[in-house]
Amino acid sequence: MRRISRITVAGAATASLALALSACGSTSTSGSSDSKGNKGLAIAYDVGGKGDQSFNDAAYAGLERAQKEFGYETADVEPTEGETDADKEQRLVSLAKQGYNPVIGVGYAYAAAVKGAAEKFPKTTFGIVDDATINSKNVADLVFSEEQASYLAGVAAAKSTKSNVVGFVGGVDIPLIHKFQAGFAQGVKDTNPKVKVLSQYLTQTAEEGGFSSPDKGKTAAEGQIEKKADVVYAAAGLSGQGVIEAAAAKKVWAIGVDSDQYKQEALAKYKDFILTSAMKDVAKAVYNLAKSVEDGKPETGIVRGDLKTGEVSLSDSNPKFADDAELQEAIKTAKEKIISGEIKVKSS
């Protein structure tokens, strides 16, 4: 089916959706309904929104793939500053009312909203990324073993540091990001116990901008680099762009997160200093849920991606990383031991 460009919802045909969403984020649509008038996948972004070159953009890549393959109408909705759980639930309810199926909340902050919306629309499949607390017959909890990819990032950092000091910058001090820190620190220490790991969280809550403030990320990374860190790993959403910028300015290594940040157009001028990225395939998880609904067999319950399934990994786009035989062998060995269970990676 011919691809139709994304447009802002404004016309009479979509007025009801625009009205419902006007108080809690802007929305865009692509494609058209199928022969039965059904609409397809809709996603509601986490803080930082589309364009974070990381978590949210990965979800959008999954939406694009579904739209192209299934040729149906999709929608993606931006968050707003200071929104409440009620605002998030209204957003999801509005999408379900319009006939979108599945409807996915991108990020753990949607937990209460997804639970509420799913109860109101039991025939619609809902998904939530990075939360495993919702036990509903029509909800898929799309979660990942981030600590496993972070362990491999720790191996890469320990093998690449010359100063024996590396850094971790977490966006918000919450259990989800603790998984990234724990895996990274364990990977570093198991590879070279002499390497010191500096760790810092940008904020205590997402509302303070921990995932959406590149300036905070830049300042944190600069502080770690001043303390001799020459590899800095960021698990901070949009704030991670500031970490990468600081690393490039000081000509040290940055390790990206969630998406392959070496390939991100907005980060192209820094790519020579992006060693690798600890990726989780949010795009695949989003697409797979859409496909399961399209196939008439919706995924529900906890759906986990890990090293064994290939849904967490390290990117190898940077030739300096990919061509380092000793480094690649160390990563391969660690990966095999994690998959076999010989290495048990901590999540806190």
Side-chain angles (χ1 to χ4, degrees), residues 232-253:
V232 184
Y233 174 38
L238 183 65
S239 300
Q241 293 190 28
V243 174
I244 292 170
E245 181 183 353
K250 297 296 183 180
K251 294 181 170 51
V252 302
W253 286 121

Side-chain angles (χ1 to χ4, degrees), residues 328-344:
Q328 291 301 318
E329 184 60 30
I331 291 169
K332 179 183 177 183
T333 299
K335 179 179 177 180
E336 290 172 349
K337 288 183 177 180
I338 292 170
I339 291 173
S340 71
E342 184 177 345
I343 292 176
K344 298 188 183 302

Side-chain angles (χ1 to χ4, degrees), residues 4-319:
I4 300 174
S5 60
R6 303 173 74 242
I7 58 173
T8 301
V9 173
T14 52
S16 59
L17 176 60
L19 179 62
L21 294 172
S22 61
C24 53
S26 60
T27 183
S28 296
T29 61
S30 294
S32 59
S33 302
D34 65 17
S35 60
K36 297 179 181 179
N38 297 322
K39 294 180 180 178
L41 170 63
I43 61 175
Y45 293 119
D46 198 3
V47 291
K50 189 182 175 190
D52 65 352
Q53 313 300 318
S54 183
F55 184 67
N56 288 301
D57 282 3
Y60 180 67
L63 179 142
E64 281 194 304
R65 181 181 173 189
Q67 195 278 326
K68 289 175 182 177
E69 184 164 327
F70 306 131
Y72 55 28
E73 184 173 346
T74 59
D76 58 309
V77 190
E78 295 285 352
T80 58
E81 187 175 350
E83 66 187 20
T84 64
D85 286 343
D87 294 329
K88 291 183 175 69
E89 184 173 334
Q90 179 189 354
R91 177 177 305 138
L92 301 181
V93 164
S94 296
L95 292 166
K97 277 183 179 178
Q98 291 295 312
Y100 289 99
N101 187 20
V103 176
I104 300 176
V106 183
Y108 69 90
Y110 276 95
V114 167
K115 187 174 187 296
E119 289 172 354
K120 291 181 174 71
F121 290 85
K123 293 184 179 180
T124 299
T125 297
F126 290 83
I128 182 166
V129 182
D130 282 350
D131 181 86
T133 65
I134 304 173
N135 183 17
S136 298
K137 292 182 179 179
N138 60 326
V139 176
D141 298 323
L142 308 175
V143 294
F144 302 85
S145 297
E146 295 95 346
E147 69 278 7
Q148 294 181 351
S150 295
Y151 184 101
L152 300 184
V155 173
K159 284 288 188 180
S160 300
T161 180
K162 292 181 171 59
S163 65
N164 278 354
V165 180
V166 301
F168 171 82
V169 176
V172 180
D173 190 357
I174 54 173
L176 172 64
I177 307 303
H178 296 168
K179 292 168 69 178
F180 290 87
Q181 180 189 9
F184 180 70
Q186 185 182 348
V188 170
K189 293 301 181 183
D190 284 357
T191 304
N192 185 351
K194 295 180 181 179
V195 177
K196 181 178 181 180
V197 180
L198 306 176
S199 296
Q200 180 177 344
Y201 288 92
L202 301 180
T203 64
Q204 294 299 304
T205 67
E207 289 74 18
E208 296 172 279
F211 292 132
S212 56
S213 305
D215 58 324
K216 294 182 188 296
K218 182 179 180 181
T219 299
E222 287 172 341
Q224 292 183 345
I225 293 166
E226 286 178 3
K227 295 177 182 177
K228 307 302 182 184
D230 59 355
V231 185
V232 184
Y233 174 38
L238 183 65
S239 300
Q241 293 190 28
V243 174
I244 292 170
E245 181 183 353
K250 297 296 183 180
K251 294 181 170 51
V252 302
W253 286 121
I255 296 178
V257 76
D258 291 344
S259 298
D260 185 352
Q261 298 198 294
Y262 183 89
K263 289 184 174 180
Q264 298 294 330
E265 186 176 343
L267 300 173
K269 61 183 176 181
Y270 309 126
K271 71 177 186 178
D272 288 344
F273 299 96
I274 301 174
L275 179 66
T276 182
S277 296
M279 300 190 296
K280 60 183 183 184
D281 203 341
V282 175
K284 183 177 179 181
V286 166
Y287 166 80
N288 282 348
L289 181 57
K291 187 177 189 303
S292 75
V293 172
E294 188 74 4
D295 291 344
K297 299 178 181 179
E299 291 179 329
T300 59
I302 294 176
V303 182
R304 181 175 298 278
D306 56 18
L307 281 179
K308 187 173 183 178
T309 68
E311 289 177 50
V312 302
S313 61
L314 282 190
S315 64
D316 59 2
S317 299
N318 188 332

